[in-house]
Short mmCIF file of all heavy atoms in Angstrom, two decimals:
data_model
loop_
_atom_site.label_atom_id
_atom_site.label_comp_id
_atom_site.label_asym_id
_atom_site.label_seq_id
_atom_site.Cartn_x
_atom_site.Cartn_y
_atom_site.Cartn_z
N MET A 567 0.92 -1.21 -0.01
CA MET A 567 -0.03 0.00 -0.03
C MET A 567 0.87 1.24 -0.02
O MET A 567 1.82 1.35 0.82
CB MET A 567 -0.88 -0.07 1.22
CG MET A 567 -1.92 1.09 1.18
SD MET A 567 -2.93 1.09 2.62
CE MET A 567 -2.46 -0.37 3.58
N LEU A 569 1.48 4.88 0.91
CA LEU A 569 1.02 5.77 1.95
C LEU A 569 1.49 7.25 1.73
O LEU A 569 2.69 7.42 1.49
CB LEU A 569 1.57 5.31 3.31
CG LEU A 569 0.70 4.43 4.14
CD1 LEU A 569 1.49 4.10 5.35
CD2 LEU A 569 -0.65 5.11 4.48
N LYS A 652 -9.96 4.77 15.20
CA LYS A 652 -9.73 3.45 14.48
C LYS A 652 -10.85 2.69 14.20
O LYS A 652 -11.03 2.06 13.09
CB LYS A 652 -8.64 2.64 15.31
CG LYS A 652 -8.12 1.33 14.63
CD LYS A 652 -7.12 0.63 15.41
CE LYS A 652 -6.48 -0.45 14.52
NZ LYS A 652 -5.45 -1.15 15.24
N VAL A 655 -12.64 4.29 11.38
CA VAL A 655 -11.93 4.00 10.07
C VAL A 655 -12.18 2.63 9.53
O VAL A 655 -12.38 2.45 8.38
CB VAL A 655 -10.36 4.28 10.28
CG1 VAL A 655 -9.53 3.74 9.13
CG2 VAL A 655 -10.12 5.74 10.41
N ALA A 656 -12.12 1.62 10.46
CA ALA A 656 -12.27 0.27 10.10
C ALA A 656 -13.63 0.07 9.51
O ALA A 656 -13.78 -0.66 8.48
CB ALA A 656 -12.04 -0.72 11.31
N LEU A 659 -13.61 1.67 5.96
CA LEU A 659 -12.82 0.90 5.04
C LEU A 659 -13.61 -0.33 4.64
O LEU A 659 -13.40 -0.91 3.48
CB LEU A 659 -11.46 0.55 5.54
CG LEU A 659 -10.60 1.79 5.78
CD1 LEU A 659 -9.23 1.34 6.45
CD2 LEU A 659 -10.22 2.52 4.59
N GLU A 681 -0.69 8.60 17.17
CA GLU A 681 -1.46 7.39 17.43
C GLU A 681 -2.61 7.25 16.44
O GLU A 681 -2.91 6.10 16.00
CB GLU A 681 -1.97 7.32 18.77
CG GLU A 681 -0.90 6.56 19.80
CD GLU A 681 -0.83 7.24 21.11
OE1 GLU A 681 -1.82 7.65 21.72
OE2 GLU A 681 0.39 7.34 21.61
N HIS A 682 -3.19 8.32 16.01
CA HIS A 682 -4.24 8.32 15.00
C HIS A 682 -3.63 7.87 13.74
O HIS A 682 -4.24 6.96 13.07
CB HIS A 682 -4.90 9.72 14.89
CG HIS A 682 -5.66 10.19 15.99
ND1 HIS A 682 -5.16 10.81 17.10
CD2 HIS A 682 -7.06 10.13 16.25
CE1 HIS A 682 -6.20 11.07 17.95
NE2 HIS A 682 -7.30 10.70 17.49
N ALA A 683 -2.56 8.38 13.38
CA ALA A 683 -1.95 8.05 12.08
C ALA A 683 -1.57 6.53 12.04
O ALA A 683 -1.88 5.85 11.04
CB ALA A 683 -0.65 8.93 11.83
N GLU A 684 -0.96 6.06 13.16
CA GLU A 684 -0.68 4.70 13.22
C GLU A 684 -1.86 3.77 13.10
O GLU A 684 -1.83 2.85 12.48
CB GLU A 684 0.07 4.34 14.53
CG GLU A 684 0.48 2.94 14.68
CD GLU A 684 1.26 2.64 15.93
OE1 GLU A 684 1.87 3.56 16.55
OE2 GLU A 684 1.36 1.48 16.38
N ALA A 685 -2.95 4.24 13.87
CA ALA A 685 -4.14 3.49 13.80
C ALA A 685 -4.69 3.29 12.44
O ALA A 685 -5.22 2.33 12.05
CB ALA A 685 -5.23 4.17 14.79
N LEU A 686 -4.66 4.45 11.65
CA LEU A 686 -5.11 4.39 10.20
C LEU A 686 -4.48 3.41 9.42
O LEU A 686 -5.07 2.57 8.74
CB LEU A 686 -4.95 5.84 9.62
CG LEU A 686 -5.26 5.84 8.09
CD1 LEU A 686 -6.73 5.62 7.87
CD2 LEU A 686 -4.74 7.10 7.60
N VAL A 687 -3.09 3.27 9.60
CA VAL A 687 -2.30 2.27 8.73
C VAL A 687 -2.65 0.92 9.13
O VAL A 687 -2.90 0.10 8.39
CB VAL A 687 -0.77 2.63 8.97
CG1 VAL A 687 -0.09 1.68 8.01
CG2 VAL A 687 -0.48 4.01 8.57
N THR A 688 -2.63 0.66 10.48
CA THR A 688 -2.98 -0.77 10.90
C THR A 688 -4.36 -1.19 10.53
O THR A 688 -4.58 -2.28 10.07
CB THR A 688 -2.67 -0.91 12.43
OG1 THR A 688 -3.34 0.10 13.17
CG2 THR A 688 -1.21 -0.83 12.62
N ALA A 689 -5.37 -0.27 10.62
CA ALA A 689 -6.78 -0.53 10.21
C ALA A 689 -6.91 -0.83 8.81
O ALA A 689 -7.45 -1.74 8.38
CB ALA A 689 -7.66 0.58 10.64
N ALA A 690 -6.04 -0.02 7.96
CA ALA A 690 -6.09 -0.17 6.51
C ALA A 690 -5.43 -1.55 6.11
O ALA A 690 -6.00 -2.25 5.23
CB ALA A 690 -5.33 0.95 5.85
N ASP A 691 -4.38 -1.87 6.78
CA ASP A 691 -3.71 -3.10 6.45
C ASP A 691 -4.67 -4.37 6.79
O ASP A 691 -4.69 -5.35 6.06
CB ASP A 691 -2.41 -3.15 7.05
CG ASP A 691 -1.40 -4.28 6.17
OD1 ASP A 691 -1.16 -3.92 5.02
OD2 ASP A 691 -0.99 -5.18 6.84
N ASP A 692 -5.21 -4.16 7.98
CA ASP A 692 -6.09 -5.24 8.42
C ASP A 692 -7.24 -5.45 7.36
O ASP A 692 -7.60 -6.61 7.01
CB ASP A 692 -6.81 -4.77 9.69
CG ASP A 692 -6.38 -5.47 10.94
OD1 ASP A 692 -5.46 -6.35 10.80
OD2 ASP A 692 -6.89 -5.18 12.03
N ALA A 693 -7.73 -4.31 6.87
CA ALA A 693 -8.85 -4.39 5.87
C ALA A 693 -8.57 -5.12 4.57
O ALA A 693 -9.43 -5.58 3.89
CB ALA A 693 -9.40 -2.93 5.63
N VAL A 694 -7.25 -5.10 4.18
CA VAL A 694 -6.96 -5.63 2.81
C VAL A 694 -6.21 -6.91 3.03
O VAL A 694 -5.77 -7.57 1.93
CB VAL A 694 -6.10 -4.68 2.03
CG1 VAL A 694 -6.85 -3.42 1.79
CG2 VAL A 694 -4.74 -4.32 2.70
N TYR A 695 -6.08 -7.44 4.19
CA TYR A 695 -5.46 -8.85 4.41
C TYR A 695 -6.39 -9.89 3.92
O TYR A 695 -7.55 -10.02 4.34
CB TYR A 695 -5.09 -9.06 5.86
CG TYR A 695 -4.52 -10.47 6.12
CD1 TYR A 695 -3.20 -10.77 5.99
CD2 TYR A 695 -5.44 -11.51 6.49
CE1 TYR A 695 -2.65 -11.90 6.28
CE2 TYR A 695 -4.94 -12.83 6.80
CZ TYR A 695 -3.59 -13.01 6.71
OH TYR A 695 -3.11 -14.31 6.92
N LEU A 713 -3.20 5.55 -0.15
CA LEU A 713 -4.00 5.97 0.99
C LEU A 713 -3.22 7.29 1.43
O LEU A 713 -2.10 7.30 1.72
CB LEU A 713 -3.87 4.99 2.07
CG LEU A 713 -4.66 5.24 3.46
CD1 LEU A 713 -6.10 5.27 3.21
CD2 LEU A 713 -4.24 4.11 4.51
N GLY A 728 3.78 8.67 13.20
CA GLY A 728 2.80 7.64 13.44
C GLY A 728 2.62 6.69 12.13
O GLY A 728 2.50 5.47 12.22
N LEU A 729 2.65 7.33 10.90
CA LEU A 729 2.62 6.52 9.73
C LEU A 729 3.76 5.63 9.67
O LEU A 729 3.48 4.44 9.20
CB LEU A 729 2.62 7.51 8.44
CG LEU A 729 1.36 8.33 8.21
CD1 LEU A 729 1.43 9.04 6.92
CD2 LEU A 729 0.04 7.45 8.21
N ARG A 731 5.60 4.36 12.16
CA ARG A 731 5.46 3.23 13.09
C ARG A 731 4.28 2.32 12.60
O ARG A 731 4.43 0.95 12.71
CB ARG A 731 5.13 3.83 14.42
CG ARG A 731 5.13 2.85 15.48
CD ARG A 731 4.94 3.46 16.95
NE ARG A 731 6.20 3.92 17.52
CZ ARG A 731 6.37 4.04 18.71
NH1 ARG A 731 5.51 3.76 19.65
NH2 ARG A 731 7.60 4.50 19.14
N GLY A 732 3.18 2.87 12.21
CA GLY A 732 2.11 2.10 11.76
C GLY A 732 2.43 1.17 10.64
O GLY A 732 2.10 -0.06 10.65
N GLN A 733 3.25 1.65 9.71
CA GLN A 733 3.66 0.74 8.58
C GLN A 733 4.52 -0.46 9.03
O GLN A 733 4.37 -1.52 8.60
CB GLN A 733 4.44 1.62 7.59
CG GLN A 733 4.08 1.23 6.14
CD GLN A 733 4.40 2.32 5.14
OE1 GLN A 733 4.98 3.39 5.56
NE2 GLN A 733 4.11 2.20 3.88
N ALA A 734 5.40 -0.15 9.91
CA ALA A 734 6.20 -1.16 10.59
C ALA A 734 5.43 -2.20 11.39
O ALA A 734 5.56 -3.41 11.22
CB ALA A 734 7.37 -0.57 11.46
N VAL A 735 4.52 -1.70 12.20
CA VAL A 735 3.64 -2.52 12.98
C VAL A 735 2.80 -3.38 11.98
O VAL A 735 2.56 -4.60 12.18
CB VAL A 735 2.74 -1.76 13.99
CG1 VAL A 735 1.70 -2.64 14.55
CG2 VAL A 735 3.62 -1.10 15.00
N ALA A 736 2.22 -2.80 10.98
CA ALA A 736 1.37 -3.46 10.00
C ALA A 736 2.13 -4.60 9.35
O ALA A 736 1.55 -5.67 9.20
CB ALA A 736 0.84 -2.47 8.97
N GLN A 737 3.39 -4.39 8.95
CA GLN A 737 4.10 -5.41 8.42
C GLN A 737 4.37 -6.56 9.41
O GLN A 737 4.43 -7.76 8.99
CB GLN A 737 5.49 -4.81 7.83
CG GLN A 737 5.42 -4.05 6.62
CD GLN A 737 6.70 -3.54 6.09
OE1 GLN A 737 7.65 -4.34 5.93
NE2 GLN A 737 6.88 -2.36 5.91
N GLY A 738 4.64 -6.20 10.57
CA GLY A 738 4.86 -7.27 11.66
C GLY A 738 3.57 -8.01 11.89
O GLY A 738 3.61 -9.33 11.96
N VAL A 739 2.55 -7.30 11.95
CA VAL A 739 1.17 -8.17 12.06
C VAL A 739 0.95 -8.98 10.99
O VAL A 739 0.50 -10.08 11.17
CB VAL A 739 0.05 -7.07 12.27
CG1 VAL A 739 -1.27 -7.64 12.13
CG2 VAL A 739 0.16 -6.22 13.65
N ARG A 740 1.16 -8.43 9.75
CA ARG A 740 0.94 -9.18 8.58
C ARG A 740 1.81 -10.53 8.59
O ARG A 740 1.25 -11.61 8.17
CB ARG A 740 1.24 -8.36 7.30
CG ARG A 740 0.86 -8.90 5.98
CD ARG A 740 0.96 -7.84 4.92
NE ARG A 740 -0.24 -7.08 4.78
CZ ARG A 740 -1.27 -7.54 3.96
NH1 ARG A 740 -1.02 -8.56 3.21
NH2 ARG A 740 -2.35 -6.84 3.84
N ARG A 743 0.30 -12.84 11.29
CA ARG A 743 -0.95 -13.32 10.83
C ARG A 743 -0.78 -14.35 9.78
O ARG A 743 -1.40 -15.49 9.88
CB ARG A 743 -1.73 -12.19 10.25
CG ARG A 743 -3.03 -12.02 10.79
CD ARG A 743 -3.68 -10.81 10.18
NE ARG A 743 -5.02 -10.99 9.94
CZ ARG A 743 -5.92 -10.14 9.54
NH1 ARG A 743 -5.46 -8.87 9.23
NH2 ARG A 743 -7.21 -10.46 9.29
N ALA A 965 -0.76 1.28 21.72
CA ALA A 965 -0.84 0.36 20.56
C ALA A 965 -2.19 -0.03 20.23
O ALA A 965 -2.53 -0.65 19.26
CB ALA A 965 0.09 -0.84 20.82
N LEU A 966 -3.25 0.38 21.08
CA LEU A 966 -4.55 -0.13 21.00
C LEU A 966 -4.69 -1.61 20.86
O LEU A 966 -5.38 -2.19 20.11
CB LEU A 966 -5.26 0.54 19.76
CG LEU A 966 -5.27 2.07 19.72
CD1 LEU A 966 -5.91 2.48 18.42
CD2 LEU A 966 -6.01 2.62 20.91
N VAL A 1038 1.45 -8.23 18.32
CA VAL A 1038 2.65 -7.56 17.68
C VAL A 1038 2.60 -6.10 17.98
O VAL A 1038 3.58 -5.54 18.27
CB VAL A 1038 2.63 -7.82 16.20
CG1 VAL A 1038 3.64 -6.92 15.47
CG2 VAL A 1038 3.05 -9.30 15.91
N PRO A 1039 1.47 -5.40 17.91
CA PRO A 1039 1.37 -3.92 18.15
C PRO A 1039 1.93 -3.65 19.62
O PRO A 1039 2.70 -2.85 19.88
CB PRO A 1039 -0.06 -3.57 17.97
CG PRO A 1039 -0.59 -4.60 17.07
CD PRO A 1039 0.12 -5.87 17.39
N HIS A 1043 5.39 -1.72 20.59
CA HIS A 1043 5.39 -0.48 21.40
C HIS A 1043 6.18 -0.64 22.68
O HIS A 1043 7.00 0.23 23.16
CB HIS A 1043 3.90 -0.03 21.70
CG HIS A 1043 3.25 0.75 20.63
ND1 HIS A 1043 2.86 1.92 20.79
CD2 HIS A 1043 3.07 0.30 19.34
CE1 HIS A 1043 2.31 2.38 19.58
NE2 HIS A 1043 2.53 1.40 18.69
#
Side-chain angles (χ1 to χ4, degrees):
M567 191 182 351
L569 263 179
K652 186 173 188 177
V655 164
L659 294 179
E681 269 141 38
H682 290 85
E684 178 174 342
L686 170 68
V687 185
T688 50
D691 203 61
D692 254 2
V694 298
Y695 174 87
L713 184 66
L729 288 186
R731 185 176 280 206
Q733 220 157 3
V735 169
Q737 286 183 51
V739 165
R740 193 168 265 272
R743 230 176 144 177
L966 303 179
V1038 169
H1043 279 239

